């Protein structure tokens, strides 16, 4: 679909994805391309604005990333951020040199001219920014002027108003630059004259048309796990294809309590999807019997899922396409200037299927970040408890039930985990934590119940706060809530006589126990 595009050229910055997030939040569609993409490809994409990202290199390094100088002659507004500013100055005849000392962290920038990318600030206003650079611009190319300075950066913000080329030494995309969005908004709306016309509603209409065109008269199959990505992808493709989409939900025996029933209720009853529910729990548990190593558990669950899904797919006549919930961060990872990842992440339930099944991939969410996926789901009427449910690992309870797996131990864990979730919701805490769940430990301890000795297993409650799951801290849940969780689990779940709370952070621990 043709739509106004802000193009980000990635020079290896750790913040490149943040630039895209901030621009999307402003209602402008953007894409990230590696700086190696070439000028011809940029011309083909017809961007309304170009942003040059930061990066760890110095323009003086051998093999330092660069770009065709002719970019600046296309008449497209350009904003260089950090390394992007230095590269702009370097290519256009300015001068860059090693800074006397590396500037990293918070800094104050003083606005001197209220124009261009600083048009939304007052003259002489002091703004809090985040710096991260070892080089600095010391002489500007012809026609450029200083817009702002800091104590260490005489050219903290610069611009050539006639050519609409700007640069900032700081990072407007990070949270620590308090009014960074105003810099980006001024560039996109005031300089590049773009409109805030990107959002969930626009995306849904375009994506439906795109899926229809891609699948044509064929049929598609989707592995529906009940998670956010597969749920949104399934409903969107159902809108596009109707009865020519078949969703397959595999009960692998390691699901949370009520998971299968919720999926059937939401997707079969509320959205009228053609949903095939396959109870393969005994098959999975038979394969997992006696296996305690978590990596072996993962591989067994993945293999059996593929076998089951493959069998179902072959029983449906005329299937030509496979729907997957690939998101934009997975796409970015595969084209980053820093090098493609070893494996492009696919949906945790269908990895390995496309090559084996010879089906064409349909990835309707590949342009979206996670928060945008939820917004699209809300626009299509998906219930909040589906869109905002805590993350759940692909191997399910298999890696929360430590040690040997059997139906009894899994039922014990399911019951305890349901109590944890119920108490979180009852006390208004569910949305304030990233994840909170129960794990069943292969540890027995002595207890006393009803004047009798017990020798039962232990439940560990794991609650964490996080932004993206990459790092996490243990959640400081109220003691009285933990007390009720513990009391209910011990009294209501047979086979448990002890409850502990996990207070380790990630790192060094992981969020999951296995």
């Amino acid at each position: 679909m043709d739509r106004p595009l802000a193009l980000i050229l990635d020079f290896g910055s750790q913040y490149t994805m943040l630039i895209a997030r901030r621009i999307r939040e402003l209602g402008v569609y953007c894409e990230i391309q590696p700086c190696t993409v070439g000028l011809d490809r940029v011309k083909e994409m017809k961007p309304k604005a170009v942003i040059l990202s930061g990066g760890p290199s110095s323009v003086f390094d051998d093999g330092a990333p660069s770009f065709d100088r002719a970019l600046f002659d296309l008449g497209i507004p350009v904003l260089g951020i950090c390394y992007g500013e230095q590269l702009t100055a370097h290519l256009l005849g300015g001068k860059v040199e090693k800074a006397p000392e590396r500037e990293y962290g918070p800094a104050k920038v003083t606005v001197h001219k209220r124009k261009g990318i600083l048009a939304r600030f007052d003259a002489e206003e002091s703004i809090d920014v985040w710096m991260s650079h070892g080089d600095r611009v010391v002489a500007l190319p012809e026609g450029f002027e200083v817009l702002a300075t800091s104590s260490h950066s005489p050219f903290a913000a610069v611009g050539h108003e006639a050519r609409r080329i700007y640069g900032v030494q700081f990072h407007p995309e990070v949270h620590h630059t308090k009014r960074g969005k105003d810099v980006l908004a001024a560039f996109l709306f005031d300089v590049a004259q773009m409109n805030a016309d990107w959002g969930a509603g626009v995306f849904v209409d375009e994506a439906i048309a795109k899926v229809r065109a891609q699948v044509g008269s064929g049929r598609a199959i989707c592995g529906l796990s009940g998670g956010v990505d597969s749920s949104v992808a399934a409903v969107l493709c159902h809108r596009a294809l109707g009865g020519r989409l078949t969703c397959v939900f595999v009960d692998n025996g390691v699901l949370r309590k009520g998971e299968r029933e919720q999926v059937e209720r939401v997707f079969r009853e509320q959205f009228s999807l053609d949903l095939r529910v396959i109870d393969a729990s005994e098959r999975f548990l038979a394969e997992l019997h006696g296996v305690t190593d978590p990596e072996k558990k993962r591989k067994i669950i993945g293999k059996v899922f593929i076998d089951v899904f493959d069998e179902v797919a072959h029983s449906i006549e005329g299937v030509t396409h496979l729907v997957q919930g690939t998101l934009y961060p997975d796409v970015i990872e595969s084209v980053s200037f820093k090098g493609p990842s070893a494996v492009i992440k696919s949906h945790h339930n269908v990895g390995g299927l496309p090559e084996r099944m010879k089906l064409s991939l349909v990835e309707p969410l590949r342009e979206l970040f996670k928060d945008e996926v939820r917004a699209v789901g809300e626009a299509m009427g998906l219930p909040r408890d589906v869109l905002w449910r805590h993350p759940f690992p692909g191997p399910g309870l298999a890696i929360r039930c430590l040690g040997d797996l059997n139906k009894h131990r899994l039922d014990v864990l399911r019951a305890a985990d349901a109590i944890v979730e119920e108490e979180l919701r009852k006390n208004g805490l569910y949305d304030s934590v990233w994840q909170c769940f129960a794990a069943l430990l292969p540890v027995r301890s002595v207890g006393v119940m009803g004047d009798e000795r017990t020798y039962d297993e232990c439940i560990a409650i794991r609650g964490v706060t996080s932004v993206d799951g990459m790092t996490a801290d243990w959640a400081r849940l109220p003691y009285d809530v933990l007390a009720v969780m513990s009391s209910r689990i011990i009294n209501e779940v047979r086979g448990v006589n002890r409850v502990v709370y996990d207070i380790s952070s990630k790192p060094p621990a992981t969020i999951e126990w296995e």
Side-chain angles (χ1 to χ4, degrees):
M1 295 288 177
D2 289 331
R3 64 166 76 90
L5 166 69
L7 174 63
I8 302 165
L9 293 177
D10 179 21
F11 289 87
S13 172
Q14 61 181 314
Y15 301 133
T16 298
M17 202 179 298
L18 270 182
I19 301 172
R21 290 290 299 273
R22 298 295 172 258
I23 291 175
R24 294 276 186 92
E25 287 167 5
L26 288 167
V28 173
Y29 180 71
C30 66
E31 290 183 11
I32 297 171
Q33 291 290 334
C35 61
T36 52
V37 70
L39 187 66
D40 289 341
R41 176 59 180 145
V42 171
K43 291 178 181 178
E44 288 174 12
M45 298 181 77
K46 298 178 181 177
K48 300 294 184 184
V50 174
I51 297 93
L52 310 181
S53 84
S57 302
S58 165
V59 294
F60 307 110
D61 293 343
D62 290 336
S66 188
F67 204 79
D68 192 325
R69 184 187 180 284
L71 171 70
F72 300 101
D73 299 324
L74 298 178
I76 303 170
V78 177
L79 171 62
I81 295 175
C82 196
Y83 180 81
E85 181 194 64
Q86 296 159 17
L87 181 63
T88 299
H90 181 67
L91 291 175
L92 295 180
K95 186 178 180 182
V96 180
E97 66 177 24
K98 292 286 185 185
E101 56 185 55
R102 178 175 172 81
E103 190 174 15
Y104 179 83
K108 295 279 188 182
V109 164
T110 302
V111 176
H112 296 299
K113 295 187 178 178
R114 189 174 181 268
K115 57 168 50 175
I117 56 173
L118 299 184
R120 301 185 178 209
F121 296 82
D122 295 326
E124 303 310 314
E125 180 178 349
S126 177
I127 55 178
D128 295 314
V129 304
W130 185 263
M131 296 281 193
S132 178
H133 62 98
D135 295 349
R136 65 176 184 174
V137 177
V138 294
L140 291 177
E142 183 179 349
F144 279 76
E145 60 182 329
V146 177
L147 302 180
T149 63
S150 74
S151 57
H152 293 288
S153 298
F155 303 109
V158 302
H160 191 305
E161 196 166 18
R163 298 181 69 183
R164 298 189 296 174
I165 302 172
Y166 294 89
V168 289
Q169 186 59 74
F170 56 89
H171 288 272
E173 69 272 25
V174 303
H175 173 74
H176 301 82
T177 298
K178 299 301 181 186
R179 293 184 57 194
K181 270 193 178 181
D182 287 334
V183 175
L184 295 173
F187 175 66
L188 296 168
F189 303 136
D190 304 336
V191 175
Q193 297 291 296
M194 298 187 74
N195 297 314
D197 53 11
W198 165 256
V202 173
F203 173 84
V204 169
D205 293 340
E206 291 184 355
I208 287 172
K210 191 181 292 186
V211 170
R212 283 177 180 156
Q214 183 181 354
V215 177
S217 59
R219 293 186 60 88
I221 188 170
C222 174
L224 179 59
S225 70
V228 176
D229 304 339
S230 70
S231 297
V232 174
V235 172
L236 194 150
C237 288
H238 175 66
R239 286 198 175 186
L241 304 173
R244 291 186 293 120
L245 171 72
T246 298
C247 293
V248 178
F249 177 84
V250 178
D251 184 345
N252 56 17
V254 288
L255 302 174
R256 288 172 286 196
K257 186 176 180 179
E259 192 114 39
R260 172 175 167 176
E261 292 78 9
Q262 182 194 41
V263 168
E264 289 187 279
R265 183 178 67 254
V266 171
F267 296 99
R268 181 177 284 159
E269 298 175 15
Q270 182 175 339
F271 288 96
S272 302
L273 270 68
D274 176 12
L275 176 64
R276 311 286 174 91
V277 176
I278 310 300
D279 187 351
S281 55
E282 291 186 6
R283 183 168 171 179
F284 277 88
L285 293 182
E287 292 285 341
L288 289 165
H289 179 68
V291 178
T292 59
D293 179 78
E295 279 307 302
K296 288 182 179 178
K297 289 179 182 178
R298 285 185 173 90
K299 289 177 180 177
I300 289 169
I301 289 170
K303 180 184 180 302
V304 177
F305 180 89
I306 289 172
D307 290 343
V308 172
F309 194 87
D310 193 22
E311 291 165 11
V312 177
H314 279 94
S315 71
I316 303 170
E317 189 175 346
V319 174
T320 55
H321 290 75
L322 173 69
V323 176
Q324 285 194 186
T326 308
L327 303 190
Y328 196 44
D330 307 322
V331 178
I332 294 170
E333 187 179 292
S334 70
V335 299
S336 167
F337 165 69
K338 291 168 283 187
S341 58
V343 177
I344 301 173
K345 190 184 99 176
S346 57
H347 190 277
H348 64 250
N349 275 347
V350 292
L353 281 171
E355 181 178 347
R356 171 170 170 169
M357 297 174 64
K358 310 299 182 187
L359 299 178
S360 298
L361 275 181
V362 178
E363 299 172 308
L365 310 179
R366 63 181 284 115
E367 297 176 337
L368 303 183
F369 290 103
K370 192 79 166 189
D371 54 334
E372 294 174 316
V373 172
R374 288 194 169 104
V376 166
E378 288 174 353
M380 295 190 300
L382 273 159
R384 181 176 175 80
D385 59 353
V386 171
L387 295 176
W388 293 93
R389 198 164 190 191
H390 289 176
F392 189 58
L397 297 182
I399 57 170
R400 292 180 180 174
C401 186
L402 281 65
D404 190 19
L405 296 176
N406 56 57
K407 188 176 184 303
H408 170 71
R409 294 190 75 230
L410 287 165
D411 285 342
V412 167
L413 176 55
R414 258 187 283 272
D417 188 65
I419 290 171
V420 170
E421 181 175 331
E422 184 179 322
E423 290 301 323
L424 283 175
R425 292 188 183 280
K426 186 187 298 182
N427 289 277
L429 296 168
Y430 188 84
D431 292 336
S432 65
V433 293
W434 174 266
Q435 272 178 277
C436 191
F437 57 86
L440 181 62
L441 310 185
V443 174
R444 290 185 179 274
S445 63
V446 174
V448 178
M449 283 182 163
D451 296 325
E452 292 185 0
R453 179 184 184 275
T454 62
Y455 191 56
D456 288 329
E457 290 188 294
C458 175
I459 284 287
I461 299 173
R462 174 66 157 154
V464 298
T465 57
S466 181
V467 173
D468 53 15
M470 301 301 292
T471 60
D473 193 15
W474 62 278
R476 273 64 170 176
L477 295 181
Y479 290 157
D480 55 346
V481 174
L482 289 172
V484 172
M485 289 179 181
S486 175
S487 177
R488 284 194 59 195
I489 289 170
I490 291 172
N491 283 306
E492 297 175 26
V493 182
R494 290 186 177 275
V496 175
N497 68 356
R498 192 176 298 271
V499 174
V500 298
Y501 189 58
D502 183 345
I503 59 169
S504 48
S505 62
K506 175 187 178 180
T510 55
I511 294 177
E512 297 292 342
W513 271 63
E514 287 190 336

